Amino acid sequence: MRDKRSNPFCMIVAVLIMLFLVAPLVVIVIASFTPTALITFPPKGFSLEWYGNIFSKSNNFVSGLLNSLKIGLGATVLDIFIGVTAALSICRYDFKGKNILLNYFTSPMYVPSVCFAFVLLQVYSQVGRVPGWARIFIGHFIIILPYIVRNTVSVLHVFNWTLEDAATSLGANPVQVFFKVTIPLAKPGILAGALLAFLYSFDEVALSSLLSTPRFVTLPIRIMNYMEMSFDPTLAAISTLLILCSLILMLLMEKFVGLDMFMR
Amino acid sequence: MASLELKQLTKKFGDFTAVDSMDLQVADGEMIALLGGSGCGKTTTLRMIAGFTEPFSGSILVDGKDVAGIPAYKRNIGIFFQNYALFPHMTVFENIAFGLKIQKLPKAEIAERVSEMLELVKLYGMEKRYPRELSGGQQQRVALARALVTRPSILLLDEPLSNLDAKLRVEMQVEIKRIQKELNITTIIVTHDHEEAVSLADRVIVMNAGRILQVGTPKEVFDDPNSAFVADFMGFSTFIKGSVKLELPDRLIVECSGHDLSVKRSVRDDLREGDNCILAIRSENIAIVPEDNMENRFVSGSNEIYAQENIVKGRVESITYKGHSTRVEVSGCFEENVYPAPNDYTGPGAGGELRLYFPSDKLCIYKN
């Protein structure tokens, strides 16, 4: 048995580090309720004024949010089809160069997104007249693919392929085997990958800022632009809302998939 | 319920021939075992029968009809997998009902047939559990029930007892036999364990390197292997080299390292005087002759022995207590060491001398 008592010094250091990680977020959340026009901590009073400001039409936060959701969801759904297919063929079949193929599919993870954006800009200018949404969509579509491939592969890597034989011997045709056995068992990996991919797309800045046009702006870019003009507590309010959304998403995933999927 | 016939069945992986022109007939309701070491082709044969892999040449006939070209999911063959392959995301009920749901049977009938199966494998009341909540033995019963519920024409069992502890093995062995006889289903067991094969099957097929070496009842294969290789595989521990000195009508006199041993002739021996041969004997059949017994009349195990011949002196090298028997390593009898395994050993310790008796009807003889 290992000694379960912990060293008090280690405990103190650990608690301090955790405080250090969370403290700025706590400050932002509290400051978002301030009635003053400057972010002050602790806030002098309580007001929801800045939350209302988020939704005022002139600030375009809502349209930015909708754009981000469209791009994120669209790219994630399309990447699920491509990523899961890729992961399946890499894991199920034994062929030369399957590791190279896996690295190929995950390479966007290692290439700096600024480089990607630069290359895409060249392409767009060659093609010409690429609509604003497509400029960002194509970029996101490429850079989030690795998350889905990786997470699906991590599940399929330990997948017991005999289960497919078992289902087949019980009379299930290949399509039935796929939807009744393979997909349900790979689901945790696919969902975890999809969530990470979506979140990555949702707060992607570097690539989007280079590719976006004034008429199609995602939420992070909108926030960045707003920050350049003014630095009022609206930003704290919107940050608080985004933190809340992430938290809810994580809790949902924990409930349906289990967070240990993300630890792989 | 169906008969099965393999005709010149061959499977190649590149240059490697996994199954080589295999011929086999299995009668309706018969339980046979394919026995062999890893890579002998037994699992490949199983996968070809199941339809998971296509034969290179030859054919598989079920009830006289060639099944070539029929996809695995239409063959109606029940398979019990070595690792059980239970669907982890389904309950016991859903696991067993899977094949019936695929057939789109009415719900009431599915429920009835599943509960019928649960009764058969004695798992009543476990329907709502998930496989991970079951013990190894229970998982195995679910796997068996799932394989049987669709009323397959043939049942394939892949190493059915290998993952169980000794006590459960005996229990499941009895269960599998009972269920097989109750349903009278044609069954093929694939195993590398000769005890599993002889305890379950009506007929044992010993395989090596893609070929059949011997076909026989469990007793025939166990007591009278037709080659030294099969003998080794069936657990014979002592092998002695020699040459035939004299041919007599009912026995052969074999000279082994200066000692003459009398060996009962077997039906297939084609040995002539002067031929080199190998003798094989099971450990438990070598008797230790008590020293104080001049007439060589003694009791060994449950047999009363009157040994007139085949007694050889040797020296104890080591003694290993194995619970139900004791393994004794004896040198000096012949060039090779021999390994008697008496139930209770009371002879001398390491370095001491003792006399061993090799019953002539327990010695198997093979051409070398």
Side-chain angles (χ1 to χ4, degrees):
Chain A
M1 284 290 274
R2 278 179 62 187
D3 198 346
K4 276 192 181 156
R5 277 176 309 169
S6 49
N7 183 330
F9 177 72
C10 288
M11 280 286 278
I12 290 167
V13 171
V15 169
L16 283 179
I17 290 176
M18 282 161 77
L19 280 177
F20 177 76
L21 289 175
V22 177
L25 297 180
V26 175
V27 170
I28 287 290
V29 171
I30 295 173
S32 69
F33 298 105
T34 191
T36 53
L38 274 173
I39 295 179
T40 47
F41 187 82
K44 299 182 176 74
F46 178 86
S47 140
L48 289 175
E49 181 194 343
W50 306 109
Y51 283 87
N53 198 25
I54 295 173
F55 299 98
S56 87
K57 211 143 195 167
S58 60
N59 282 332
N60 282 325
F61 281 125
V62 174
S63 74
L65 174 72
L66 289 178
N67 286 344
S68 275
L69 286 177
K70 278 182 213 158
I71 295 286
L73 288 175
T76 304
V77 168
L78 202 58
D79 271 334
I80 285 178
F81 284 107
I82 295 176
V84 171
T85 322
L88 269 173
S89 45
I90 287 170
C91 293
R92 188 200 304 251
Y93 304 110
D94 212 17
F95 55 91
K96 250 189 191 159
K98 63 190 265 182
N99 278 323
I100 296 172
L101 201 61
L102 179 61
N103 284 323
Y104 173 77
F105 280 120
T106 47
S107 62
M109 228 170 167
Y110 315 120
V111 179
S113 44
V114 177
C115 302
F116 245 121
F118 176 70
V119 173
L120 280 174
L121 269 181
Q122 297 295 313
V123 175
Y124 293 159
S125 70
Q126 293 286 320
V127 175
R129 298 178 139 263
V130 180
W133 67 267
R135 292 165 70 96
I136 294 181
F137 181 84
I138 293 171
H140 282 207
F141 170 75
I142 295 170
I143 56 169
I144 67 173
L145 180 63
Y147 295 94
I148 294 178
V149 174
R150 279 243 142 158
N151 280 276
T152 310
V153 163
S154 77
V155 177
L156 293 180
H157 207 65
V158 292
F159 190 77
N160 179 4
W161 296 100
T162 320
L163 293 174
E164 292 193 336
D165 285 347
T168 304
S169 76
L170 291 166
N173 65 36
V175 176
Q176 289 169 320
V177 171
F178 185 70
F179 285 109
K180 285 180 195 281
V181 176
T182 318
I183 287 297
L185 288 172
K187 203 171 69 185
I190 299 172
L191 284 182
L195 180 69
L196 290 178
F198 173 75
L199 288 178
Y200 187 90
S201 160
F202 193 72
D203 72 11
E204 209 287 328
V205 173
L207 188 116
S208 311
S209 66
L210 285 168
L211 296 181
S212 67
T213 54
R215 294 181 61 190
F216 191 91
V217 174
T218 60
L219 186 59
I221 304 301
R222 177 68 205 121
I223 293 174
M224 216 171 67
N225 292 343
Y226 189 89
M227 223 183 298
E228 281 167 7
M229 313 294 280
S230 53
F231 200 72
D232 63 32
T234 311
L235 293 171
I238 202 164
S239 301
T240 304
L241 283 186
L242 290 179
I243 292 170
L244 194 68
C245 288
S246 304
L247 216 61
I248 291 170
L249 213 53
M250 277 305 203
L251 287 175
L252 284 177
M253 283 304 274
E254 164 64 28
K255 187 158 181 243
F256 291 116
V257 184
L259 267 186
D260 53 335
M261 263 314 301
F262 298 92
M263 309 296 178
R264 297 188 183 206
Chain B
M1 320 300 118
S3 67
L4 174 75
E5 190 177 354
L6 309 182
K7 270 189 183 165
Q8 290 293 303
L9 194 65
T10 302
K11 177 74 186 179
K12 288 185 182 178
F13 296 105
D15 288 339
F16 174 70
T17 306
V19 177
D20 195 356
S21 323
M22 186 167 166
D23 281 309
L24 183 66
Q25 291 191 340
V26 188
D28 190 1
E30 193 183 15
M31 171 125 90
I32 66 151
L34 297 180
L35 173 63
S38 60
C40 76
K42 57 189 194 301
T43 304
T44 308
T45 308
L46 190 92
R47 292 184 63 81
M48 282 192 283
I49 297 170
F52 296 145
T53 168
E54 287 293 311
F56 176 78
S57 64
S59 49
I60 300 165
L61 308 175
V62 176
D63 270 340
K65 276 184 226 113
D66 196 334
V67 296
I70 300 178
Y73 65 92
K74 284 186 183 161
R75 287 201 186 179
N76 192 25
I77 286 176
I79 307 179
F80 172 94
F81 294 88
Q82 185 178 6
N83 59 17
Y84 313 143
L86 297 178
F87 305 125
H89 59 305
M90 297 183 196
T91 61
V92 168
F93 181 92
E94 289 165 334
N95 262 284
I96 299 175
F98 184 87
L100 303 175
K101 280 185 187 155
I102 294 285
Q103 292 176 11
K104 298 205 168 67
L105 294 184
K107 268 195 175 158
E109 192 184 342
I110 293 179
E112 194 189 312
R113 275 171 68 174
V114 170
S115 65
E116 216 172 80
M117 273 300 137
L118 284 168
E119 202 145 352
L120 184 75
V121 297
K122 298 179 181 163
L123 270 183
Y124 224 84
M126 303 260 184
E127 300 88 324
K128 291 210 174 80
R129 299 219 192 158
Y130 281 90
R132 60 175 176 277
E133 299 166 334
L134 301 177
S135 70
Q138 289 168 334
Q139 290 183 18
Q140 182 161 41
R141 286 160 193 266
V142 177
L144 197 60
R146 189 183 65 177
L148 289 168
V149 76
T150 52
R151 296 177 185 154
S153 54
I154 293 169
L155 177 66
L156 307 178
L157 306 174
D158 189 2
E159 312 263 0
L161 304 177
S162 65
N163 286 342
L164 301 177
D165 58 57
K167 201 178 156 198
L168 260 179
R169 279 174 80 101
V170 178
E171 196 181 304
M172 276 315 291
Q173 181 187 314
V174 175
E175 283 292 275
I176 290 174
K177 263 203 131 138
R178 172 183 69 83
I179 290 167
Q180 194 266 339
K181 291 296 167 223
E182 211 170 302
L183 303 176
N184 192 35
I185 181 168
T186 312
T187 305
I188 298 172
I189 303 160
V190 157
T191 177
H192 68 275
D193 179 352
H194 67 270
E195 280 178 28
E196 190 169 321
V198 298
S199 63
L200 285 172
D202 302 324
R203 206 149 53 102
V204 177
I205 287 100
V206 186
M207 291 180 69
N208 185 45
R211 290 180 167 276
I212 293 178
L213 297 181
Q214 185 171 7
V215 179
T217 64
K219 196 167 164 47
E220 279 165 11
V221 179
F222 193 76
D223 289 340
D224 191 19
N226 66 0
S227 68
F229 181 88
V230 177
D232 189 26
F233 199 77
M234 296 305 296
F236 281 63
S237 61
T238 296
F239 293 86
I240 309 160
K241 279 186 185 143
S243 65
V244 181
K245 194 175 174 186
L246 190 65
E247 278 183 77
L248 296 172
D250 61 333
R251 62 207 171 101
L252 298 167
I253 304 298
V254 179
E255 189 187 327
C256 305
S257 314
H259 300 285
D260 286 352
L261 290 181
S262 150
V263 181
K264 198 177 156 204
R265 296 196 83 143
S266 77
V267 274
R268 61 171 178 275
D269 89 56
D270 49 355
L271 290 152
R272 300 288 163 264
E273 277 176 31
D275 283 354
N276 286 330
C277 61
I278 292 181
L279 299 178
I281 187 166
R282 282 188 178 281
S283 291
E284 59 267 30
N285 290 331
I286 305 175
I288 294 166
V289 185
E291 259 332 297
D292 53 359
N293 192 322
M294 280 305 118
E295 275 199 310
N296 297 333
R297 266 183 206 278
F298 59 95
V299 176
S300 169
S302 55
N303 305 320
E304 193 174 4
I305 295 174
Y306 177 35
Q308 294 162 293
E309 52 185 6
N310 290 7
I311 293 178
V312 184
K313 223 178 214 173
R315 193 176 62 250
V316 178
E317 286 290 326
S318 68
I319 299 165
T320 313
Y321 181 65
K322 298 183 89 176
H324 50 87
S325 69
T326 306
R327 182 178 183 273
V328 187
E329 185 183 6
V330 179
S331 66
C333 294
F334 312 101
E335 263 170 40
E336 303 84 357
N337 286 356
V338 299
Y339 305 92
N343 289 342
D344 47 48
Y345 178 69
T346 51
E353 291 210 326
L354 83 179
R355 291 187 302 158
L356 298 178
Y357 169 57
F358 301 85
S360 70
D361 59 339
K362 302 286 188 201
L363 282 165
C364 297
I365 184 163
Y366 308 105
K367 207 168 199 167
N368 187 11

